[in-house]
Amino acid sequence: MVRGVVVCVDGPACSDVASQWAAREARLRALPLRVVHVAPLGDAVSWPAAIGERAELLVVGTPEGGGPAARGIAARCPAPVVLVPTSSATPAARRWSGKVTLCLDAHDPADGALDFALRTARLRGVPLHVLHAWSYPKCPVAALPFAVPEKDRAMWEDQEVQRLSDTLRPWRERYPEVRVLPDVFHCRVAADALLRAAESAELLVVGRRRAGRLGPNAEAVLGSGLCAVAVVPA
């Protein structure tokens, strides 16, 4: 059976936006679109693996706050899951802006999320914004009685910029048609930088390290309802 784009619907409140989003992705990817009706959506948490076997991409509409059932599917499904906010507080113009942002840890990059984000940007014909958030090394900074010296901050930031550049180099060669825009943020909590990026993105891509659990970055942005979030398993 040909794997396609699968959209889960559980009623009119979440169906319209998610179905439109899924239909557009199916057209872009030249894949069949399948609609799976689940009532209630909470029942879907028990069978994400079965859906994942049929899906190259699973799309789920989420109410304000992300919805525990949708999060459960994203945490367990073996295929990439896109959670599309259906709240009226999320402007339609932002939903269809086309901007793709990837949250990447250059120290431990998630290849699945990188590949998914680059392919998605290529299909949409847009640049890929790659966000790498970093914080000061814990031990040296904890020992300092005053503010971090500017020369030390500059040195650490240069190292992070170089690390991100080295991580992206082979992927740029693999996807030469995609313009990659690296963005290095200094931030104590990576989720803070992620939320700022989500304010202008249509789709934010995050990796998932292990089945059954979402990371803190994914949890934070899902709860915000600012943009669609793609959770890509390792």
Side-chain angles (χ1 to χ4, degrees):
M1 181 172 61
V2 177
R3 288 158 60 91
V5 176
V6 176
V7 56
C8 288
V9 299
D10 68 336
C14 291
S15 297
D16 284 349
V17 174
S19 296
Q20 292 175 30
W21 211 98
R24 188 178 60 138
E25 287 301 302
R27 288 195 298 271
L28 286 172
R29 298 169 186 272
L31 292 171
L33 174 65
R34 295 185 172 89
V35 179
V36 176
H37 184 265
V38 183
L41 183 59
D43 293 343
V45 176
S46 62
W47 44 254
I51 293 183
E53 292 172 358
R54 295 186 292 165
E56 180 168 314
L57 182 67
L58 177 64
V59 180
V60 182
T62 62
E64 187 173 354
R71 292 182 189 215
I73 294 173
R76 293 171 175 83
C77 187
V81 179
V82 177
L83 303 176
V84 182
T86 57
S87 169
S88 59
T90 304
R94 186 179 299 160
R95 290 183 189 135
W96 306 109
S97 69
K99 183 177 179 181
V100 180
T101 297
L102 168 66
C103 175
L104 183 69
D105 180 358
H107 295 262
D108 187 16
D111 287 352
L114 255 167
D115 189 59
F116 177 90
L118 283 160
R119 285 190 292 116
T120 300
R122 181 176 64 184
L123 287 169
R124 296 183 182 198
V126 297
L128 174 63
H129 176 207
V130 180
L131 176 66
H132 169 55
W134 68 280
S135 58
Y136 293 128
K138 292 182 180 179
C139 293
V141 173
L144 292 173
F146 306 110
V148 176
E150 186 60 34
K151 65 176 183 179
D152 290 339
R153 176 193 166 100
M155 177 189 69
W156 285 324
E157 186 164 11
D158 287 346
Q159 289 174 350
E160 296 299 322
V161 169
Q162 186 60 52
R163 191 185 304 272
L164 180 58
S165 177
D166 292 343
T167 298
L168 293 175
R169 186 176 298 110
W171 292 94
R172 280 174 155 157
E173 294 172 356
R174 190 178 303 182
Y175 291 89
E177 62 273 56
V178 178
R179 184 184 176 201
V180 178
L181 307 175
D183 200 350
V184 176
F185 271 87
H186 172 258
C187 197
R188 271 188 173 182
V189 181
D192 292 342
L194 199 58
L195 289 171
R196 287 199 295 270
E199 292 176 355
S200 61
E202 177 193 339
L203 178 65
L204 196 147
V205 181
V206 297
R208 190 193 74 201
R209 293 296 179 186
R210 55 180 177 171
R213 183 177 179 180
L214 296 176
N217 293 336
E219 289 281 4
V221 77
L222 287 173
S224 73
L226 291 171
C227 68
V229 180
V231 179
V232 183

